[in-house]
Amino acid sequence: MSNEEIRTQIENCLSETAARFKGFGARYEYDGKRRRFLVSYSYAESLGACDDFWCAIAEMEDGMQKRFGDNAPLFCEDERLFRLSDNAIAVTAPGSEDFVCRQEPSTEFTLGYEIQTSFVSDNTYFLAA
Amino acid sequence: MDATVAFPLDKKSKDSFDTAQHLINLKNFTQSIHCSYYAVVQMMTYMLAHCRKENNPISYDKQKEKRDLYNSATHEFLLKEICNRLDNPKIKVQFREDFRILKSDRVDADYSERLFTEEEGLDCHDAARRMLFHLKTLS
């Protein structure tokens, strides 16, 4: 399948989601390094506690995965897992909030056991421009 | 002497996770991605067989039967079954997203000419850490 077909499907899915859930918006672009589309979405605080919203997001992402396999776009919330450039295309519905900045990495995830090695870094880092 | 020694998958997962950190320490960031990814896959396989009864565990043999139906998408089968057993809808989405990006990076690390930076190696290791944390909630 072509990138154009994937792009069209991304736009359709994001537009449908934005029309269905007020306060949802997303940006996407093609990433040459990963050779896939990257989609970062954002949502109003009220949607965060809405199970239907998360089920719809899961359904959208699974649908893309099923249709495009290894060429499926990669998703994350608020650039949590990757950065988009200023050229990324925005898809929003009227009344959506502006996109927020990338979240700080969470330090709450611990495994319950110590790793007995020295670390190259303390896992803090600066994002590439 | 019995040449078959059982080594539990959760222990293999811990070894894979620790090995990823060793590789990062040695600045072998690209090679570390593989270990970060398989730490997660191994724990997913283990937890699917050993999760709480109410979460309908699937034995290793049954997992193999079901995986065979997925042909080349066997890790998607694991992802689907694990996400079905996570409670929180938001966590289900985040787990999927972490997994698919880590999987994509693993494929690049193993089969493409892409070289990974320290930041990327650490990002993958962090993603594995998050997913392992959520997997442990299934026991």
PDB file of all heavy atoms in Angstrom, chain A residues 33-35 41 43 61-62 75 81 109-110 117-121 123 125, chain B residues 21-22 24-25 90 96-98 100 105 108 120 122-123 126 130 133:
ATOM      1  N   LYS A  33      13.151   8.326   9.449  1.00  0.00           N
ATOM      2  CA  LYS A  33      14.035   7.413  10.199  1.00  0.00           C
ATOM      3  C   LYS A  33      13.315   6.081  10.461  1.00  0.00           C
ATOM      4  O   LYS A  33      13.865   5.007  10.233  1.00  0.00           O
ATOM      5  CB  LYS A  33      14.427   8.077  11.522  1.00  0.00           C
ATOM      6  CG  LYS A  33      15.369   7.251  12.373  1.00  0.00           C
ATOM      7  CD  LYS A  33      15.859   8.024  13.591  1.00  0.00           C
ATOM      8  CE  LYS A  33      14.739   8.337  14.547  1.00  0.00           C
ATOM      9  NZ  LYS A  33      15.209   9.021  15.786  1.00  0.00           N
ATOM     10  N   ARG A  34      12.098   6.170  10.911  1.00  0.00           N
ATOM     11  CA  ARG A  34      11.333   4.950  11.193  1.00  0.00           C
ATOM     12  C   ARG A  34      10.593   4.434   9.952  1.00  0.00           C
ATOM     13  O   ARG A  34      10.061   3.330   9.958  1.00  0.00           O
ATOM     14  CB  ARG A  34      10.314   5.213  12.308  1.00  0.00           C
ATOM     15  CG  ARG A  34      10.929   5.306  13.701  1.00  0.00           C
ATOM     16  CD  ARG A  34       9.844   5.214  14.762  1.00  0.00           C
ATOM     17  NE  ARG A  34      10.369   4.961  16.084  1.00  0.00           N
ATOM     18  CZ  ARG A  34      10.581   5.890  17.009  1.00  0.00           C
ATOM     19  NH1 ARG A  34      10.329   7.148  16.733  1.00  0.00           N
ATOM     20  NH2 ARG A  34      11.059   5.573  18.189  1.00  0.00           N
ATOM     21  N   ARG A  35      10.519   5.281   8.930  1.00  0.00           N
ATOM     22  CA  ARG A  35       9.810   4.934   7.688  1.00  0.00           C
ATOM     23  C   ARG A  35       8.337   4.606   7.981  1.00  0.00           C
ATOM     24  O   ARG A  35       7.754   3.682   7.417  1.00  0.00           O
ATOM     25  CB  ARG A  35      10.494   3.765   6.961  1.00  0.00           C
ATOM     26  CG  ARG A  35      11.936   4.089   6.561  1.00  0.00           C
ATOM     27  CD  ARG A  35      12.621   2.937   5.817  1.00  0.00           C
ATOM     28  NE  ARG A  35      12.500   1.670   6.513  1.00  0.00           N
ATOM     29  CZ  ARG A  35      13.195   1.324   7.580  1.00  0.00           C
ATOM     30  NH1 ARG A  35      14.087   2.143   8.091  1.00  0.00           N
ATOM     31  NH2 ARG A  35      13.014   0.152   8.144  1.00  0.00           N
ATOM     32  N   TYR A  41      -1.531  12.559  19.677  1.00  0.00           N
ATOM     33  CA  TYR A  41      -2.857  13.105  19.931  1.00  0.00           C
ATOM     34  C   TYR A  41      -2.900  13.781  21.294  1.00  0.00           C
ATOM     35  O   TYR A  41      -2.092  13.510  22.185  1.00  0.00           O
ATOM     36  CB  TYR A  41      -3.938  12.011  19.827  1.00  0.00           C
ATOM     37  CG  TYR A  41      -3.744  10.852  20.771  1.00  0.00           C
ATOM     38  CD1 TYR A  41      -4.254  10.878  22.075  1.00  0.00           C
ATOM     39  CD2 TYR A  41      -3.050   9.714  20.364  1.00  0.00           C
ATOM     40  CE1 TYR A  41      -4.054   9.816  22.936  1.00  0.00           C
ATOM     41  CE2 TYR A  41      -2.845   8.650  21.225  1.00  0.00           C
ATOM     42  CZ  TYR A  41      -3.355   8.706  22.510  1.00  0.00           C
ATOM     43  OH  TYR A  41      -3.152   7.662  23.368  1.00  0.00           O
ATOM     44  N   TYR A  43      -5.920  15.667  24.198  1.00  0.00           N
ATOM     45  CA  TYR A  43      -7.343  15.632  24.524  1.00  0.00           C
ATOM     46  C   TYR A  43      -7.614  16.518  25.737  1.00  0.00           C
ATOM     47  O   TYR A  43      -6.741  16.768  26.566  1.00  0.00           O
ATOM     48  CB  TYR A  43      -7.807  14.195  24.821  1.00  0.00           C
ATOM     49  CG  TYR A  43      -6.967  13.494  25.865  1.00  0.00           C
ATOM     50  CD1 TYR A  43      -7.297  13.558  27.223  1.00  0.00           C
ATOM     51  CD2 TYR A  43      -5.830  12.779  25.495  1.00  0.00           C
ATOM     52  CE1 TYR A  43      -6.514  12.931  28.187  1.00  0.00           C
ATOM     53  CE2 TYR A  43      -5.043  12.157  26.452  1.00  0.00           C
ATOM     54  CZ  TYR A  43      -5.383  12.236  27.784  1.00  0.00           C
ATOM     55  OH  TYR A  43      -4.603  11.619  28.735  1.00  0.00           O
ATOM     56  N   GLU A  61      -6.356   2.555  16.813  1.00  0.00           N
ATOM     57  CA  GLU A  61      -4.974   2.095  16.667  1.00  0.00           C
ATOM     58  C   GLU A  61      -4.933   0.629  16.214  1.00  0.00           C
ATOM     59  O   GLU A  61      -4.148   0.267  15.335  1.00  0.00           O
ATOM     60  CB  GLU A  61      -4.221   2.261  17.994  1.00  0.00           C
ATOM     61  CG  GLU A  61      -4.059   3.728  18.396  1.00  0.00           C
ATOM     62  CD  GLU A  61      -3.282   3.921  19.687  1.00  0.00           C
ATOM     63  OE1 GLU A  61      -2.658   2.968  20.184  1.00  0.00           O
ATOM     64  OE2 GLU A  61      -3.298   5.055  20.206  1.00  0.00           O
ATOM     65  N   ASP A  62      -5.804  -0.196  16.803  1.00  0.00           N
ATOM     66  CA  ASP A  62      -5.836  -1.611  16.403  1.00  0.00           C
ATOM     67  C   ASP A  62      -6.277  -1.755  14.948  1.00  0.00           C
ATOM     68  O   ASP A  62      -5.790  -2.621  14.213  1.00  0.00           O
ATOM     69  CB  ASP A  62      -6.787  -2.398  17.324  1.00  0.00           C
ATOM     70  CG  ASP A  62      -6.164  -2.708  18.674  1.00  0.00           C
ATOM     71  OD1 ASP A  62      -4.952  -2.457  18.839  1.00  0.00           O
ATOM     72  OD2 ASP A  62      -6.892  -3.187  19.559  1.00  0.00           O
ATOM     73  N   PHE A  75       1.401   5.605  17.354  1.00  0.00           N
ATOM     74  CA  PHE A  75       0.626   6.611  18.080  1.00  0.00           C
ATOM     75  C   PHE A  75       1.207   6.857  19.458  1.00  0.00           C
ATOM     76  O   PHE A  75       1.797   5.975  20.070  1.00  0.00           O
ATOM     77  CB  PHE A  75      -0.816   6.124  18.279  1.00  0.00           C
ATOM     78  CG  PHE A  75      -1.634   6.037  17.036  1.00  0.00           C
ATOM     79  CD1 PHE A  75      -1.522   4.941  16.193  1.00  0.00           C
ATOM     80  CD2 PHE A  75      -2.527   7.049  16.712  1.00  0.00           C
ATOM     81  CE1 PHE A  75      -2.283   4.859  15.040  1.00  0.00           C
ATOM     82  CE2 PHE A  75      -3.299   6.963  15.554  1.00  0.00           C
ATOM     83  CZ  PHE A  75      -3.179   5.873  14.726  1.00  0.00           C
ATOM     84  N   LEU A  81       6.188   9.618  23.359  1.00  0.00           N
ATOM     85  CA  LEU A  81       7.166   8.626  22.918  1.00  0.00           C
ATOM     86  C   LEU A  81       8.010   9.080  21.724  1.00  0.00           C
ATOM     87  O   LEU A  81       8.972   8.407  21.361  1.00  0.00           O
ATOM     88  CB  LEU A  81       6.455   7.312  22.557  1.00  0.00           C
ATOM     89  CG  LEU A  81       5.643   6.691  23.692  1.00  0.00           C
ATOM     90  CD1 LEU A  81       4.861   5.474  23.193  1.00  0.00           C
ATOM     91  CD2 LEU A  81       6.538   6.294  24.855  1.00  0.00           C
ATOM     92  N   PHE A 109       7.540   4.240  37.790  1.00  0.00           N
ATOM     93  CA  PHE A 109       7.540   2.832  37.460  1.00  0.00           C
ATOM     94  C   PHE A 109       8.775   2.155  38.007  1.00  0.00           C
ATOM     95  O   PHE A 109       9.880   2.358  37.519  1.00  0.00           O
ATOM     96  CB  PHE A 109       7.472   2.655  35.942  1.00  0.00           C
ATOM     97  CG  PHE A 109       6.241   3.235  35.348  1.00  0.00           C
ATOM     98  CD1 PHE A 109       6.302   4.404  34.628  1.00  0.00           C
ATOM     99  CD2 PHE A 109       5.014   2.631  35.549  1.00  0.00           C
ATOM    100  CE1 PHE A 109       5.156   4.965  34.087  1.00  0.00           C
ATOM    101  CE2 PHE A 109       3.858   3.186  34.997  1.00  0.00           C
ATOM    102  CZ  PHE A 109       3.943   4.348  34.272  1.00  0.00           C
ATOM    103  N   THR A 110       8.593   1.355  39.019  1.00  0.00           N
ATOM    104  CA  THR A 110       9.719   0.598  39.562  1.00  0.00           C
ATOM    105  C   THR A 110       9.375  -0.881  39.460  1.00  0.00           C
ATOM    106  O   THR A 110       8.213  -1.267  39.450  1.00  0.00           O
ATOM    107  CB  THR A 110       9.987   0.956  41.031  1.00  0.00           C
ATOM    108  OG1 THR A 110       8.788   0.705  41.780  1.00  0.00           O
ATOM    109  CG2 THR A 110      10.364   2.407  41.163  1.00  0.00           C
ATOM    110  N   THR A 117      24.128  -2.657  38.417  1.00  0.00           N
ATOM    111  CA  THR A 117      25.141  -2.177  37.473  1.00  0.00           C
ATOM    112  C   THR A 117      25.174  -0.674  37.539  1.00  0.00           C
ATOM    113  O   THR A 117      24.235  -0.041  37.968  1.00  0.00           O
ATOM    114  CB  THR A 117      24.813  -2.585  36.023  1.00  0.00           C
ATOM    115  OG1 THR A 117      23.536  -2.045  35.690  1.00  0.00           O
ATOM    116  CG2 THR A 117      24.780  -4.089  35.882  1.00  0.00           C
ATOM    117  N   SER A 118      26.259  -0.109  37.075  1.00  0.00           N
ATOM    118  CA  SER A 118      26.295   1.351  37.019  1.00  0.00           C
ATOM    119  C   SER A 118      25.563   1.786  35.764  1.00  0.00           C
ATOM    120  O   SER A 118      25.471   1.055  34.795  1.00  0.00           O
ATOM    121  CB  SER A 118      27.750   1.824  36.976  1.00  0.00           C
ATOM    122  OG  SER A 118      28.377   1.318  35.825  1.00  0.00           O
ATOM    123  N   PHE A 119      25.027   2.958  35.800  1.00  0.00           N
ATOM    124  CA  PHE A 119      24.262   3.453  34.674  1.00  0.00           C
ATOM    125  C   PHE A 119      25.100   4.409  33.860  1.00  0.00           C
ATOM    126  O   PHE A 119      25.921   5.139  34.384  1.00  0.00           O
ATOM    127  CB  PHE A 119      23.009   4.176  35.185  1.00  0.00           C
ATOM    128  CG  PHE A 119      21.946   3.220  35.640  1.00  0.00           C
ATOM    129  CD1 PHE A 119      22.098   2.511  36.825  1.00  0.00           C
ATOM    130  CD2 PHE A 119      20.812   3.024  34.894  1.00  0.00           C
ATOM    131  CE1 PHE A 119      21.125   1.620  37.252  1.00  0.00           C
ATOM    132  CE2 PHE A 119      19.836   2.145  35.311  1.00  0.00           C
ATOM    133  CZ  PHE A 119      19.981   1.444  36.493  1.00  0.00           C
ATOM    134  N   VAL A 120      24.848   4.421  32.539  1.00  0.00           N
ATOM    135  CA  VAL A 120      25.526   5.396  31.699  1.00  0.00           C
ATOM    136  C   VAL A 120      25.051   6.780  32.061  1.00  0.00           C
ATOM    137  O   VAL A 120      25.814   7.726  32.126  1.00  0.00           O
ATOM    138  CB  VAL A 120      25.233   5.123  30.200  1.00  0.00           C
ATOM    139  CG1 VAL A 120      25.742   6.246  29.336  1.00  0.00           C
ATOM    140  CG2 VAL A 120      25.881   3.810  29.803  1.00  0.00           C
ATOM    141  N   SER A 121      23.746   6.890  32.296  1.00  0.00           N
ATOM    142  CA  SER A 121      23.213   8.182  32.710  1.00  0.00           C
ATOM    143  C   SER A 121      22.136   7.925  33.735  1.00  0.00           C
ATOM    144  O   SER A 121      21.769   6.798  33.988  1.00  0.00           O
ATOM    145  CB  SER A 121      22.660   8.955  31.518  1.00  0.00           C
ATOM    146  OG  SER A 121      21.376   8.476  31.195  1.00  0.00           O
ATOM    147  N   ASN A 123      19.148   8.557  33.327  1.00  0.00           N
ATOM    148  CA  ASN A 123      17.913   8.511  32.547  1.00  0.00           C
ATOM    149  C   ASN A 123      17.249   9.853  32.359  1.00  0.00           C
ATOM    150  O   ASN A 123      16.105   9.929  31.982  1.00  0.00           O
ATOM    151  CB  ASN A 123      16.909   7.529  33.157  1.00  0.00           C
ATOM    152  CG  ASN A 123      17.299   6.089  32.855  1.00  0.00           C
ATOM    153  OD1 ASN A 123      18.329   5.836  32.252  1.00  0.00           O
ATOM    154  ND2 ASN A 123      16.485   5.158  33.290  1.00  0.00           N
ATOM    155  N   TYR A 125      17.506  13.310  30.157  1.00  0.00           N
ATOM    156  CA  TYR A 125      18.165  13.665  28.908  1.00  0.00           C
ATOM    157  C   TYR A 125      17.435  14.839  28.284  1.00  0.00           C
ATOM    158  O   TYR A 125      16.322  15.163  28.657  1.00  0.00           O
ATOM    159  CB  TYR A 125      18.177  12.472  27.949  1.00  0.00           C
ATOM    160  CG  TYR A 125      16.849  11.773  27.871  1.00  0.00           C
ATOM    161  CD1 TYR A 125      15.832  12.246  27.066  1.00  0.00           C
ATOM    162  CD2 TYR A 125      16.600  10.629  28.649  1.00  0.00           C
ATOM    163  CE1 TYR A 125      14.611  11.605  27.019  1.00  0.00           C
ATOM    164  CE2 TYR A 125      15.375   9.989  28.589  1.00  0.00           C
ATOM    165  CZ  TYR A 125      14.386  10.480  27.778  1.00  0.00           C
ATOM    166  OH  TYR A 125      13.183   9.835  27.739  1.00  0.00           O
TER     167      TYR A 125
ATOM    168  N   GLN B  21      20.521  -3.297  30.033  1.00  0.00           N
ATOM    169  CA  GLN B  21      21.206  -2.244  30.783  1.00  0.00           C
ATOM    170  C   GLN B  21      22.726  -2.386  30.670  1.00  0.00           C
ATOM    171  O   GLN B  21      23.443  -1.395  30.495  1.00  0.00           O
ATOM    172  CB  GLN B  21      20.783  -2.270  32.248  1.00  0.00           C
ATOM    173  CG  GLN B  21      21.383  -1.142  33.077  1.00  0.00           C
ATOM    174  CD  GLN B  21      20.960   0.222  32.576  1.00  0.00           C
ATOM    175  OE1 GLN B  21      19.788   0.597  32.616  1.00  0.00           O
ATOM    176  NE2 GLN B  21      21.914   1.002  32.084  1.00  0.00           N
ATOM    177  N   HIS B  22      23.211  -3.632  30.734  1.00  0.00           N
ATOM    178  CA  HIS B  22      24.664  -3.859  30.568  1.00  0.00           C
ATOM    179  C   HIS B  22      25.126  -3.330  29.213  1.00  0.00           C
ATOM    180  O   HIS B  22      26.181  -2.695  29.091  1.00  0.00           O
ATOM    181  CB  HIS B  22      24.985  -5.364  30.633  1.00  0.00           C
ATOM    182  CG  HIS B  22      24.960  -5.935  32.019  1.00  0.00           C
ATOM    183  ND1 HIS B  22      25.729  -5.455  33.054  1.00  0.00           N
ATOM    184  CD2 HIS B  22      24.253  -6.960  32.528  1.00  0.00           C
ATOM    185  CE1 HIS B  22      25.485  -6.166  34.155  1.00  0.00           C
ATOM    186  NE2 HIS B  22      24.591  -7.077  33.863  1.00  0.00           N
ATOM    187  N   ILE B  24      23.730  -1.060  27.370  1.00  0.00           N
ATOM    188  CA  ILE B  24      23.683   0.403  27.377  1.00  0.00           C
ATOM    189  C   ILE B  24      24.931   0.951  28.073  1.00  0.00           C
ATOM    190  O   ILE B  24      25.553   1.907  27.605  1.00  0.00           O
ATOM    191  CB  ILE B  24      22.389   0.893  28.062  1.00  0.00           C
ATOM    192  CG1 ILE B  24      21.187   0.616  27.158  1.00  0.00           C
ATOM    193  CG2 ILE B  24      22.478   2.382  28.384  1.00  0.00           C
ATOM    194  CD1 ILE B  24      19.832   0.842  27.810  1.00  0.00           C
ATOM    195  N   ASN B  25      25.295   0.314  29.183  1.00  0.00           N
ATOM    196  CA  ASN B  25      26.507   0.741  29.900  1.00  0.00           C
ATOM    197  C   ASN B  25      27.747   0.626  29.024  1.00  0.00           C
ATOM    198  O   ASN B  25      28.680   1.423  29.119  1.00  0.00           O
ATOM    199  CB  ASN B  25      26.715  -0.101  31.158  1.00  0.00           C
ATOM    200  CG  ASN B  25      25.665   0.140  32.221  1.00  0.00           C
ATOM    201  OD1 ASN B  25      24.874   1.081  32.120  1.00  0.00           O
ATOM    202  ND2 ASN B  25      25.637  -0.704  33.229  1.00  0.00           N
ATOM    203  N   LYS B  90      -7.099   3.324  29.866  1.00  0.00           N
ATOM    204  CA  LYS B  90      -6.005   4.210  29.453  1.00  0.00           C
ATOM    205  C   LYS B  90      -4.678   3.438  29.449  1.00  0.00           C
ATOM    206  O   LYS B  90      -3.862   3.585  28.532  1.00  0.00           O
ATOM    207  CB  LYS B  90      -5.922   5.412  30.386  1.00  0.00           C
ATOM    208  CG  LYS B  90      -4.812   6.385  29.996  1.00  0.00           C
ATOM    209  CD  LYS B  90      -4.821   7.640  30.846  1.00  0.00           C
ATOM    210  CE  LYS B  90      -3.671   8.554  30.447  1.00  0.00           C
ATOM    211  NZ  LYS B  90      -3.654   9.814  31.203  1.00  0.00           N
ATOM    212  N   ARG B  96      -0.221  -0.652  24.590  1.00  0.00           N
ATOM    213  CA  ARG B  96      -0.163  -0.923  23.149  1.00  0.00           C
ATOM    214  C   ARG B  96       0.861  -0.023  22.459  1.00  0.00           C
ATOM    215  O   ARG B  96       1.632  -0.451  21.619  1.00  0.00           O
ATOM    216  CB  ARG B  96      -1.511  -0.617  22.511  1.00  0.00           C
ATOM    217  CG  ARG B  96      -2.528  -1.686  22.474  1.00  0.00           C
ATOM    218  CD  ARG B  96      -3.787  -1.095  21.847  1.00  0.00           C
ATOM    219  NE  ARG B  96      -4.834  -2.061  21.701  1.00  0.00           N
ATOM    220  CZ  ARG B  96      -5.635  -2.467  22.667  1.00  0.00           C
ATOM    221  NH1 ARG B  96      -5.499  -1.976  23.878  1.00  0.00           N
ATOM    222  NH2 ARG B  96      -6.577  -3.358  22.440  1.00  0.00           N
ATOM    223  N   GLU B  97       0.768   1.279  22.799  1.00  0.00           N
ATOM    224  CA  GLU B  97       1.615   2.261  22.125  1.00  0.00           C
ATOM    225  C   GLU B  97       3.091   2.008  22.435  1.00  0.00           C
ATOM    226  O   GLU B  97       3.939   2.025  21.545  1.00  0.00           O
ATOM    227  CB  GLU B  97       1.196   3.685  22.532  1.00  0.00           C
ATOM    228  CG  GLU B  97      -0.165   4.065  21.975  1.00  0.00           C
ATOM    229  CD  GLU B  97      -0.741   5.344  22.583  1.00  0.00           C
ATOM    230  OE1 GLU B  97      -0.128   5.897  23.515  1.00  0.00           O
ATOM    231  OE2 GLU B  97      -1.813   5.786  22.111  1.00  0.00           O
ATOM    232  N   ASP B  98       3.384   1.766  23.707  1.00  0.00           N
ATOM    233  CA  ASP B  98       4.768   1.465  24.105  1.00  0.00           C
ATOM    234  C   ASP B  98       5.258   0.227  23.352  1.00  0.00           C
ATOM    235  O   ASP B  98       6.377   0.193  22.830  1.00  0.00           O
ATOM    236  CB  ASP B  98       4.837   1.189  25.617  1.00  0.00           C
ATOM    237  CG  ASP B  98       5.032   2.459  26.437  1.00  0.00           C
ATOM    238  OD1 ASP B  98       5.639   3.415  25.914  1.00  0.00           O
ATOM    239  OD2 ASP B  98       4.597   2.491  27.608  1.00  0.00           O
ATOM    240  N   ARG B 100       4.202  -1.250  20.545  1.00  0.00           N
ATOM    241  CA  ARG B 100       4.349  -1.172  19.088  1.00  0.00           C
ATOM    242  C   ARG B 100       5.546  -0.329  18.684  1.00  0.00           C
ATOM    243  O   ARG B 100       6.222  -0.637  17.703  1.00  0.00           O
ATOM    244  CB  ARG B 100       3.058  -0.654  18.460  1.00  0.00           C
ATOM    245  CG  ARG B 100       1.985  -1.739  18.451  1.00  0.00           C
ATOM    246  CD  ARG B 100       0.656  -1.262  17.953  1.00  0.00           C
ATOM    247  NE  ARG B 100      -0.281  -2.380  17.898  1.00  0.00           N
ATOM    248  CZ  ARG B 100      -1.589  -2.283  18.101  1.00  0.00           C
ATOM    249  NH1 ARG B 100      -2.111  -1.109  18.368  1.00  0.00           N
ATOM    250  NH2 ARG B 100      -2.364  -3.350  18.039  1.00  0.00           N
ATOM    251  N   ASP B 105      11.153  -0.424  16.785  1.00  0.00           N
ATOM    252  CA  ASP B 105      12.575  -0.123  17.007  1.00  0.00           C
ATOM    253  C   ASP B 105      13.403  -1.410  17.032  1.00  0.00           C
ATOM    254  O   ASP B 105      14.531  -1.441  16.541  1.00  0.00           O
ATOM    255  CB  ASP B 105      12.757   0.649  18.318  1.00  0.00           C
ATOM    256  CG  ASP B 105      12.354   2.116  18.188  1.00  0.00           C
ATOM    257  OD1 ASP B 105      12.174   2.586  17.041  1.00  0.00           O
ATOM    258  OD2 ASP B 105      12.215   2.793  19.223  1.00  0.00           O
ATOM    259  N   ASP B 108      14.038  -2.484  13.508  1.00  0.00           N
ATOM    260  CA  ASP B 108      15.078  -1.621  12.928  1.00  0.00           C
ATOM    261  C   ASP B 108      16.457  -1.980  13.483  1.00  0.00           C
ATOM    262  O   ASP B 108      17.442  -2.034  12.750  1.00  0.00           O
ATOM    263  CB  ASP B 108      14.782  -0.146  13.238  1.00  0.00           C
ATOM    264  CG  ASP B 108      13.755   0.439  12.288  1.00  0.00           C
ATOM    265  OD1 ASP B 108      13.359  -0.263  11.341  1.00  0.00           O
ATOM    266  OD2 ASP B 108      13.346   1.598  12.498  1.00  0.00           O
ATOM    267  N   GLU B 120      17.922   7.022  22.522  1.00  0.00           N
ATOM    268  CA  GLU B 120      16.963   6.051  21.991  1.00  0.00           C
ATOM    269  C   GLU B 120      17.052   4.721  22.740  1.00  0.00           C
ATOM    270  O   GLU B 120      16.039   4.083  23.023  1.00  0.00           O
ATOM    271  CB  GLU B 120      17.204   5.860  20.489  1.00  0.00           C
ATOM    272  CG  GLU B 120      16.781   7.072  19.668  1.00  0.00           C
ATOM    273  CD  GLU B 120      17.282   7.036  18.238  1.00  0.00           C
ATOM    274  OE1 GLU B 120      18.306   6.369  17.965  1.00  0.00           O
ATOM    275  OE2 GLU B 120      16.652   7.687  17.379  1.00  0.00           O
ATOM    276  N   LEU B 122      17.991   4.317  25.832  1.00  0.00           N
ATOM    277  CA  LEU B 122      17.390   4.530  27.162  1.00  0.00           C
ATOM    278  C   LEU B 122      15.875   4.638  27.063  1.00  0.00           C
ATOM    279  O   LEU B 122      15.152   4.152  27.931  1.00  0.00           O
ATOM    280  CB  LEU B 122      17.976   5.798  27.794  1.00  0.00           C
ATOM    281  CG  LEU B 122      19.429   5.669  28.271  1.00  0.00           C
ATOM    282  CD1 LEU B 122      19.991   7.041  28.650  1.00  0.00           C
ATOM    283  CD2 LEU B 122      19.557   4.715  29.446  1.00  0.00           C
ATOM    284  N   ASP B 123      15.384   5.290  26.010  1.00  0.00           N
ATOM    285  CA  ASP B 123      13.925   5.386  25.811  1.00  0.00           C
ATOM    286  C   ASP B 123      13.316   3.997  25.706  1.00  0.00           C
ATOM    287  O   ASP B 123      12.253   3.718  26.286  1.00  0.00           O
ATOM    288  CB  ASP B 123      13.604   6.171  24.533  1.00  0.00           C
ATOM    289  CG  ASP B 123      13.654   7.666  24.733  1.00  0.00           C
ATOM    290  OD1 ASP B 123      13.733   8.107  25.906  1.00  0.00           O
ATOM    291  OD2 ASP B 123      13.623   8.399  23.727  1.00  0.00           O
ATOM    292  N   ASP B 126      13.365   2.314  29.062  1.00  0.00           N
ATOM    293  CA  ASP B 126      12.312   2.893  29.908  1.00  0.00           C
ATOM    294  C   ASP B 126      10.936   2.358  29.523  1.00  0.00           C
ATOM    295  O   ASP B 126      10.094   2.095  30.390  1.00  0.00           O
ATOM    296  CB  ASP B 126      12.293   4.427  29.779  1.00  0.00           C
ATOM    297  CG  ASP B 126      13.385   5.084  30.598  1.00  0.00           C
ATOM    298  OD1 ASP B 126      13.991   4.395  31.449  1.00  0.00           O
ATOM    299  OD2 ASP B 126      13.651   6.280  30.375  1.00  0.00           O
ATOM    300  N   ARG B 130       8.324   0.315  31.933  1.00  0.00           N
ATOM    301  CA  ARG B 130       6.903   0.645  32.154  1.00  0.00           C
ATOM    302  C   ARG B 130       6.033  -0.566  31.896  1.00  0.00           C
ATOM    303  O   ARG B 130       5.112  -0.875  32.673  1.00  0.00           O
ATOM    304  CB  ARG B 130       6.464   1.785  31.235  1.00  0.00           C
ATOM    305  CG  ARG B 130       6.996   3.143  31.593  1.00  0.00           C
ATOM    306  CD  ARG B 130       6.260   4.236  30.805  1.00  0.00           C
ATOM    307  NE  ARG B 130       6.484   4.180  29.379  1.00  0.00           N
ATOM    308  CZ  ARG B 130       7.497   4.748  28.742  1.00  0.00           C
ATOM    309  NH1 ARG B 130       8.419   5.413  29.425  1.00  0.00           N
ATOM    310  NH2 ARG B 130       7.612   4.655  27.425  1.00  0.00           N
ATOM    311  N   PHE B 133       6.300  -3.232  34.550  1.00  0.00           N
ATOM    312  CA  PHE B 133       5.569  -2.789  35.748  1.00  0.00           C
ATOM    313  C   PHE B 133       4.094  -3.167  35.625  1.00  0.00           C
ATOM    314  O   PHE B 133       3.502  -3.739  36.552  1.00  0.00           O
ATOM    315  CB  PHE B 133       5.741  -1.279  35.911  1.00  0.00           C
ATOM    316  CG  PHE B 133       4.945  -0.687  37.039  1.00  0.00           C
ATOM    317  CD1 PHE B 133       5.442  -0.680  38.331  1.00  0.00           C
ATOM    318  CD2 PHE B 133       3.689  -0.128  36.819  1.00  0.00           C
ATOM    319  CE1 PHE B 133       4.715  -0.121  39.381  1.00  0.00           C
ATOM    320  CE2 PHE B 133       2.956   0.426  37.851  1.00  0.00           C
ATOM    321  CZ  PHE B 133       3.469   0.431  39.126  1.00  0.00           C
TER     322      PHE B 133
END
